[in-house]
Amino acid sequence: MHRRLHGRGALFDVDPAGLAPRLVGLRPHQHRAHPYEHPDEPPFVVLTGARGLGKSAVLAELRDAYRGHTPVALVDCAEEQFRAPPADRPAASWSPLGQALLVLAEQLAAPVTGAGRITFPRLMSGLVAVAAGGWGDADSERIRREVERILLLNESGSWIGSLAGRWAGKVAAKVVAAATGTGPLVSGAIEATLESVAEGFTHRRHQKASVWYRTYPNAGGNAQRGLILLSQHFRDGGSSREHAERYLVRALLADLTEAYAGVLPRMQRLGRPLVLLDNAQTAPGPGLVAAVLRDRTEGVADRVAFVAARRGEGRAELPGAVRRALPEVARRCDWVPEATPSSRALLLALPPLSADDALHIVGAVCADTAVPPHLPAAAHRLTGGNPLGIVLLAESAAQAAAGASTPADLLTSGLRPAEDLPAVPAYEALLARLVPAEHLDALTVLAAAHDHASACALAAALLPDTFGPASVRELQTQLAEEGLPDVPGRFVGDPFVRTLLLLRLHLRDADHASWRTAHETLIAHYPDEGHAPYRLHHELALGDTEGAVAHLRDTFPTAEPRAWLRGLRFIASAPYFHAHDAEGRDFTGRGDRRTAVALGRTDAGHAVPPGADGVLHLRIRRLLHAVWLLADPLVLPDPQVCDRLRFELEQLSNLRPAGNALLWRASRDWPAAALAGRPMEDPGNGDGGDGGDGGDGGPDDDSGEA
């Protein structure tokens, strides 16, 4: 059954047509043709972005939308089967790309509406030649097993099993004879294969496989010599293997093209074959992508629609690719290839989901569960529109016990990923899918950092001695390759991932020792007044509010209003994972004192420092706690606190005539943004110029902004 992906209509829409029907030539889930946007050569589409944006879900939906209507295959390059050869197969006769071609062909061979199985005689012959390079000491049963699987690619009827078995037995017998005789093994296997094709498959298309390899470089018009050279190049490794692999890719595409040649096939087969590659940043993805793009650049045409998904932006691997955001190709690609191979790729950045999408997802997952009305907006604000985050938060809400309603509750509630698996805290389930496992412990510590220097300070305090500055830079590079955003002032730029990591840091020790050590380390790292907002940010994370209130109070009369508001917002972006007592110390009880302070309920019991303007001091204290609470992505917005925020900023605007307009604008924009689940941005600055999450220019930024 069709399950519509939220926010991905630009790909799957039917009327007007989205990108998929325009490239495949078929309407999704229908055996109805649609005009091609690029009839001669489609772009090689690559979906880009960080983990959790739904790239794999898009590929799965494409497979489901076209399976049974046109040949379609989906390969996840991160699967175990592509990491190493089987235990009994030598590495010299196996590669991730060779394995991927076999798996792709097996899927593409399946019958579709109006047409039978596709056969792959060219690819079959090449794969047998490659496999033969590893049969030197193999037993006959292993040879028969490997040959049978490959020969199945050339079967076209329901009797494929028995016939393939007969031919596999014949080839295996000849190979064993060659191995035990005096003749060369590889040439014997290839000769047996070509004889099998000639004897068993009399159709003209099948016979073409026996002559196609005549054009292999230096084959001299002899197909058997071409296959021997192919096998040798594959065993040689390095650039020679890459050359052989490109020819195997070309064989697969030639077999697919042959299936559409002639009058009858063109009438029976609608649209283009569809090849889907997930995690294409890992082998065999790069080799397959490069081979297709190079052949297309050199004029070797094919009729396949490729859609790949990869983490990161792919700038190094595909420097000349056309780059678009998904909404930009909803009705037209505007893609024109140039001279370079990478220009034939179209890179699409999947955007985050909208607040409306979050509303629909939470509603669908929690159809039988009562949730607070602000939860969808709060989930969208916390996740930044990350589809995986929204779905797992919604599932946590559906499974949570009564009383667990805030994002903080849902992240720490047990989430059962499947009926046969134990429940784990939702934040752990999310981190397992959003962060590379090998870097999780290091990132948990460094998530509190702002730049390289502060990350090194944290590493020295909390990570092994072997994790030095070079390791910090390597991790920064890894984050960029993963597609996480680069936000000045944040070592981990993605606010959602950073929140999850900081929550893990806080819960790492029963007494929160690592949490305190991390923030105390950064407090000591920023001793000078020029970096006061950073020091105060970390003091606030430990529950110490006095320094922040004093700084904001004393700088309010003279600071430039926009810079002062940014400083307030950055200081108040400090994480708050559980209650603090009246003295600001953390403890294990429940409750959030920020609401009481923001609403002025604690004013009477608070001692104003000697010499300070009492009215201004208390107003700044209430304002700080209001922003701290409303900027916290782990709590639901409190309408009363929003009203109080509006009032406090409005009153402050009366005290600064020069900054009256900016402060007054903030008194309107910030409460509205908080209630809507949006970040509080610069007043009147709708583009969220500071990253949208309270970030700043970083300690080494020359902007002068905190």
Side-chain angles (χ1 to χ4, degrees):
M1 180 179 294
H2 174 50
R3 53 175 182 79
R4 179 177 175 82
L5 291 179
H6 294 279
R8 305 302 183 233
L11 278 169
F12 296 101
D13 283 348
V14 173
D15 189 16
L19 180 62
R22 302 198 314 267
L23 295 185
V24 178
L26 285 173
R27 299 187 177 200
H29 297 277
Q30 301 177 37
H31 195 64
R32 295 179 60 190
H34 187 281
Y36 295 119
E37 180 176 349
H38 297 281
D40 297 326
E41 176 190 337
F44 194 117
V45 177
V46 182
L47 309 177
T48 64
R51 301 176 189 234
L53 285 178
K55 300 183 294 296
S56 297
V58 166
L59 295 186
E61 177 68 9
L62 282 169
R63 178 193 58 194
D64 294 345
Y66 289 106
R67 184 160 48 189
H69 303 299
T70 193
V72 60
L74 170 58
V75 159
D76 184 353
C77 299
E79 287 183 354
E80 285 290 336
Q81 64 172 317
F82 303 117
R83 294 187 180 181
D88 57 354
R89 185 163 180 178
S93 65
W94 183 93
S95 75
L97 182 49
Q99 179 70 12
L101 292 174
L102 175 59
V103 175
L104 286 171
E106 288 173 335
Q107 296 181 46
L108 290 166
V112 299
T113 302
R117 289 175 58 87
I118 292 178
T119 58
F120 294 89
R122 297 169 180 82
L123 179 62
M124 177 208 70
S125 302
L127 291 180
V128 169
V130 168
W135 288 341
D137 56 355
D139 59 78
S140 58
E141 176 56 28
R142 184 195 134 202
I143 295 173
R144 189 202 64 77
R145 187 173 62 251
E146 291 182 8
V147 170
E148 180 172 330
R149 182 177 180 184
I150 297 172
L151 288 185
L152 282 171
L153 300 179
N154 211 37
E155 301 291 354
S156 58
S158 59
W159 32 268
I160 56 178
S162 59
L163 185 59
R166 291 203 302 273
W167 291 124
K170 178 180 290 189
V171 174
K174 292 189 176 184
V175 170
V176 171
T180 57
T182 58
L185 183 145
V186 174
S187 62
I190 292 171
E191 180 181 0
T193 302
L194 294 178
E195 286 180 5
S196 298
V197 173
E199 296 172 6
F201 305 105
T202 57
H203 195 283
R204 180 178 58 86
R205 287 179 186 155
H206 294 103
Q207 294 290 342
K208 284 188 176 182
S210 63
V211 301
W212 191 73
Y213 285 94
R214 292 176 181 175
T215 60
Y216 192 84
N218 297 323
N222 185 297
Q224 183 170 337
R225 176 168 174 75
L227 285 166
I228 292 173
L229 287 171
L230 172 77
S231 181
Q232 182 62 52
H233 288 154
F234 194 96
R235 293 195 304 276
D236 288 343
S239 59
S240 295
R241 172 173 288 189
E242 292 176 5
H243 177 273
E245 287 178 332
R246 285 199 303 270
Y247 224 79
L248 290 174
V249 173
R250 188 178 298 178
L252 170 76
L253 299 180
D255 285 332
L256 282 173
T257 300
E258 179 74 17
Y260 284 75
V263 176
L264 185 58
R266 283 200 299 269
M267 294 174 61
Q268 292 177 326
R269 297 189 180 276
L270 301 180
R272 290 183 171 117
L274 179 60
V275 172
L276 308 167
L277 303 175
D278 202 1
N279 289 301
Q281 74 280 353
T282 60
L288 179 54
V289 174
V292 174
L293 295 181
R294 177 169 171 172
D295 268 7
R296 288 181 174 182
T297 304
E298 295 176 355
V300 181
D302 66 81
R303 56 176 301 115
V304 179
F306 284 92
V307 181
R310 57 156 299 135
R311 290 198 294 272
E313 298 182 349
R315 294 187 181 277
E317 297 85 351
L318 299 167
V322 175
R323 298 176 184 276
R324 299 279 188 271
L326 182 59
E328 296 178 304
V329 301
R331 301 296 172 254
R332 186 171 180 80
C333 285
D334 291 327
W335 168 82
V336 178
E338 298 179 353
T340 62
S342 62
S343 71
R344 291 182 137 71
L346 173 64
L347 270 59
L348 295 182
L350 291 185
L353 299 184
S354 69
D356 284 346
D357 294 326
L359 176 67
H360 298 315
I361 291 174
V362 173
V365 175
C366 302
D368 301 322
T369 305
V371 297
H374 285 296
L375 181 58
H380 184 262
R381 178 180 63 163
L382 168 63
T383 63
N386 182 289
L388 175 65
I390 295 172
V391 169
L392 289 192
L393 274 177
E395 291 180 355
S396 181
Q399 299 178 23
S405 58
T406 69
D409 294 333
L410 299 178
L411 285 179
T412 53
S413 295
L415 174 65
R416 189 181 297 276
E419 291 185 1
D420 57 341
L421 295 176
V424 297
Y427 77 90
E428 290 185 3
L430 282 162
L431 285 173
R433 297 177 63 179
L434 293 175
V435 173
E438 65 272 21
H439 300 306
L440 179 57
D441 288 339
L443 283 173
T444 297
V445 170
L446 302 186
H450 303 283
D451 58 6
H452 176 76
S454 58
C456 289
L458 284 175
L462 287 167
L463 294 177
D465 293 341
T466 54
F467 197 98
S471 301
V472 172
R473 293 200 185 279
E474 182 180 354
L475 191 51
Q476 286 178 300
T477 301
Q478 179 69 28
L479 292 177
E481 292 176 351
E482 286 279 323
L484 292 176
D486 181 14
V487 176
R490 304 290 190 184
F491 185 84
V492 177
D494 186 277
F496 179 41
V497 175
R498 184 172 67 249
T499 297
L500 297 173
L501 290 168
L502 290 174
L503 177 57
R504 185 174 187 264
L505 175 64
H506 182 263
L507 297 176
R508 194 163 80 164
D509 314 304
D511 60 353
H512 314 300
S514 296
W515 175 259
R516 287 196 300 272
T517 300
H519 292 288
E520 288 167 356
T521 298
L522 293 177
I523 289 170
H525 182 72
Y526 295 115
D528 59 285
E529 283 305 306
H531 290 145
Y534 296 90
R535 182 178 68 254
L536 299 172
H537 171 93
H538 294 287
E539 289 180 1
L540 204 61
L542 293 179
D544 183 358
T545 64
E546 292 183 4
V549 173
H551 172 82
L552 292 168
R553 178 196 67 215
D554 295 342
T555 57
F556 175 75
T558 57
E560 194 275 322
R562 188 178 298 276
W564 187 85
L565 287 169
R566 287 182 176 176
L568 163 65
R569 205 175 58 222
F570 175 72
I571 294 170
S573 68
Y576 183 104
F577 290 127
H578 63 283
H580 298 79
D581 64 18
E583 303 302 322
R585 295 185 296 268
D586 61 313
F587 71 108
T588 57
R590 295 184 63 84
D592 190 332
R593 288 183 50 81
R594 293 176 296 180
T595 300
V597 176
L599 296 178
R601 296 170 184 165
T602 66
D603 285 358
H606 178 74
V608 177
D613 181 330
V615 174
L616 179 61
H617 177 88
L618 291 174
R619 192 176 303 285
I620 295 296
R621 181 171 178 263
R622 293 190 296 267
L623 176 64
L624 172 66
H625 282 78
V627 176
W628 193 11
L629 177 72
L630 295 175
D632 189 345
L634 296 178
V635 300
L636 298 174
D638 187 323
Q640 280 188 291
V641 177
C642 287
D643 289 341
R644 193 68 189 222
L645 173 63
R646 178 181 295 107
F647 175 77
E648 300 296 356
L649 284 170
E650 193 176 80
Q651 294 304 306
L652 286 177
S653 72
N654 294 328
L655 302 178
R656 289 292 304 273
N660 174 273
L662 197 65
L663 290 163
W664 187 88
R665 187 70 261 165
S667 75
R668 290 334 188 235
D669 290 351
W670 285 10
L675 281 174
R678 302 192 308 269
M680 291 179 279
E681 300 173 340
D682 276 3
N685 180 20
D687 62 1
D690 64 350
D693 72 325
D696 66 346
D700 301 319
D701 183 58
D702 295 327
S703 65
E705 300 168 355

